Amino acid sequence: MREQPRGFERGTDGPKVIVAGVDGSESSLRAASYASGLARRQNALLALVYVQPLMTAGAAFGVPVADTTGEIAEGLVAEIRQATERVRGIWAVRWEFHTFRGDPYNGLVTAADELKADAVVVGASESAGHRIVGSVAVRLVKAGRWPVTVVP
């Protein structure tokens, strides 16, 4: 009897791809650090994801938002590369940096789907507005599609 070829199966032998959302906030950088340690211990790929907002209030007044969010993404990559260099030789983590566009929740969902994530790690919300709309972390947990770790 021949075994049927299997499609993608999430998390069968531990996580192979861990998505960590980063936006430059302290909690997102702590989440990236936590996810980095998890990826190292599991020998998984760490996919760091920055979601660029499509439009902010500043864009309505002619502020160049794309340039600003692009600078944030470049700054995050530089910061991550510096951190990687500091621990080089102590331990290695395979990592990639991805930029998606949209609101943070939908951007992370798209990233997790496209990258076939086994786990998602995010920082706890530092915004008071999440009480009205719901935090990204809570919405990811409610989606029930991946194990989600929220780092304070």
Side-chain angles (χ1 to χ4, degrees), residues 63-120:
V63 176
V65 174
D67 292 344
T68 303
T69 60
E71 289 171 12
I72 291 169
E74 288 173 20
L76 287 169
V77 170
E79 204 170 318
I80 292 161
R81 283 203 172 104
Q82 288 171 358
T84 303
E85 285 300 313
R86 283 194 300 267
V87 297
R88 187 188 206 152
I90 299 170
W91 54 72
V93 174
R94 294 180 303 123
W95 65 277
E96 301 172 347
F97 186 84
H98 299 271
T99 302
F100 287 81
R101 291 187 181 270
D103 68 274
Y105 170 76
N106 287 315
L108 286 172
V109 166
T110 300
D113 284 344
E114 287 184 15
L115 299 169
K116 295 190 180 345
D118 296 301
V120 178

Side-chain angles (χ1 to χ4, degrees), residues 120-137:
V120 178
V121 180
V122 293
S125 176
E126 295 180 354
S127 168
H130 77 265
R131 289 185 190 99
I132 298 165
V133 184
S135 73
V136 172

